[in-house]
Amino acid sequence: MSNLSLVTTFILMGIPHAPALDTTLFGIFLVIYALTVVGNLLILLVIRVDSHLHTPMYFFLASLSFIDMWLSTVTVPKMLMTFVSPRGRAISFHSCVAQLYSFHFLGSTECFLYTVMSYDRYLAVSYPLRYTSMMSRKTRTLLATSTWLSGSLHSAVQTILTFRLPYCGPNQIQHYFCDAPPILKLACADTSTNEMVIFVNIGVVSSGCFFLIVLSYVSIVCSVLKIRTSEGRHRAFQTCTSHCIVVLCFFGPGLFIYLRPGSKDAVDGVVAVFYTVLTPLLNPVVYTLRNKEVKRVLFKLKDKTLSQSK
């Protein structure tokens, strides 16, 4: 970190909106955050208590729920504070560093995890008889660990490059959390190198992951079309649809913000809501409502709880 930085506190300007909407937006995002945490905790609980769900697919789904819960926690509570009072917009320099690192760590880890999940679905559909041996406990643990380590390294690069610059003047961040593009606009130095590294770094990682996911699903489609029965094809497609939905909702807004020339603060703030607020909520909704096994365990837990309360 640069010793030349004179700024000790940043001011988060939040999502562009009319002041009259403060209370309404606070209520909406508070409900979304609560549902996100409860929904992802439920998925973790369901996978934990039912031995039938101790499979590679649910192992990765549990990892995704854990990441989503914390990704939302890193950004949303501070965003809620920006609606309450002007004081709530202040964030210390070191807290801003921690938030940026945590956000990129969890976000890039989720990016890698989506790629691993698509590979897992490819093996499940294309090699059903050998799937269990190919995706052994050791293999899936290794894959999951590699996503966390890669995410940590990727985030460290982003954070160090962003905060090695001096910040000696304006301190108003035109965003609702500390992210590299809006922070770089406040630097008292040339940021062209940083912007290029962000473009290449995030571009290579996200585009590479997205390409591998698309490749996996092209292979899956080819394998599914070889299945003779329509019921078998339907079941195979159904297992992958949920993953495709959340992948598009996660990668679409991210690629829009980080890989387009120029940056419009108001647009970026609104678009970022999709992958920081809505996608973490979407995951438990999509995977729960579309998954018979998860719903079965949830109803089982509900009946058990009701019987114990009587």
Side-chain angles (χ1 to χ4, degrees):
M1 309 303 167
S2 175
N3 293 326
L4 298 175
S5 294
L6 301 178
V7 173
T8 58
T9 303
F10 288 108
I11 305 298
L12 296 169
M13 300 311 292
I15 298 174
H17 67 284
L21 295 176
D22 276 347
T23 305
T24 303
L25 290 175
F26 177 84
I28 291 172
F29 285 114
L30 179 62
V31 170
I32 290 175
Y33 176 64
L35 290 174
T36 299
V37 173
V38 171
N40 283 296
L41 278 175
L42 269 177
I43 287 183
L44 289 170
L45 176 65
V46 165
I47 294 172
R48 172 77 176 176
V49 300
D50 195 284
S51 59
H52 295 97
L53 301 183
H54 294 175
T55 62
M57 183 179 85
Y58 291 103
F59 172 78
F60 293 126
L61 179 56
S63 298
L64 181 63
S65 292
F66 182 79
I67 291 173
D68 276 334
M69 191 168 59
W70 285 107
L71 183 64
S72 185
T73 300
V74 164
T75 57
V76 178
K78 188 60 186 175
M79 177 178 67
L80 291 174
M81 292 173 68
T82 65
F83 295 123
V84 177
S85 70
R87 285 185 179 180
R89 297 183 175 189
I91 183 170
S92 70
F93 184 90
H94 292 100
S95 295
C96 194
V97 173
Q99 188 181 47
L100 187 143
Y101 176 81
S102 300
F103 171 73
H104 278 277
F105 171 43
L106 294 166
S108 54
T109 300
E110 183 161 337
C111 179
F112 293 126
L113 185 60
Y114 279 131
T115 310
V116 170
M117 290 174 75
S118 68
Y119 175 65
D120 172 67
R121 292 300 82 210
Y122 162 70
L123 292 182
V125 173
S126 302
Y127 305 98
L129 300 179
R130 296 165 53 197
Y131 171 64
T132 306
S133 60
M134 294 174 77
M135 191 57 73
S136 62
R137 182 185 294 271
K138 181 180 178 181
T139 301
R140 65 182 186 241
T141 302
L142 183 64
L143 286 170
T145 303
S146 67
T147 64
W148 287 93
L149 291 175
S150 300
S152 177
L153 178 63
H154 176 265
S155 181
V157 171
Q158 294 294 113
T159 307
I160 291 170
L161 284 175
T162 300
F163 288 103
R164 72 180 178 83
L165 297 172
Y167 294 90
C168 51
N171 68 338
Q172 293 186 343
I173 299 174
Q174 299 295 328
H175 212 336
Y176 59 89
F177 68 95
C178 290
D179 197 9
I183 291 175
L184 288 177
K185 292 181 179 180
L186 306 180
C188 304
D190 179 40
T191 61
S192 56
T193 302
N194 289 66
E195 290 169 2
M196 181 57 67
V197 171
I198 287 175
F199 183 86
V200 173
N201 192 9
I202 294 181
V204 169
V205 169
S206 57
S207 301
C209 288
F210 190 71
F211 173 74
L212 290 174
I213 291 170
V214 171
L215 192 63
S216 294
Y217 277 97
V218 169
S219 302
I220 287 171
V221 169
C222 293
S223 298
V224 168
L225 293 177
K226 294 177 183 177
I227 299 175
R228 294 180 180 179
T229 64
S230 58
E231 184 183 349
R233 287 195 296 270
H234 176 71
R235 193 184 304 118
F237 273 126
Q238 196 171 28
T239 60
C240 302
T241 305
S242 301
H243 187 230
C244 287
I245 292 172
V246 292
V247 162
L248 290 174
C249 290
F250 179 81
F251 279 92
L255 292 172
F256 175 81
I257 287 177
Y258 294 105
L259 300 187
R260 82 188 199 280
S263 177
K264 293 181 175 57
D265 298 324
V267 176
D268 286 356
V270 174
V271 173
V273 169
F274 280 91
Y275 65 90
T276 61
V277 181
L278 298 181
T279 302
L281 172 65
L282 190 64
N283 283 340
V285 171
V286 169
Y287 281 110
T288 302
L289 295 181
R290 294 180 57 85
N291 193 302
K292 293 179 181 178
E293 290 179 308
V294 172
K295 285 192 285 188
R296 174 184 58 79
V297 180
L298 279 174
F299 285 125
K300 187 177 175 182
L301 285 173
K302 178 187 172 185
D303 294 338
K304 186 177 180 181
T305 304
L306 289 174
S307 62
Q308 288 177 348
S309 63
K310 289 181 182 178

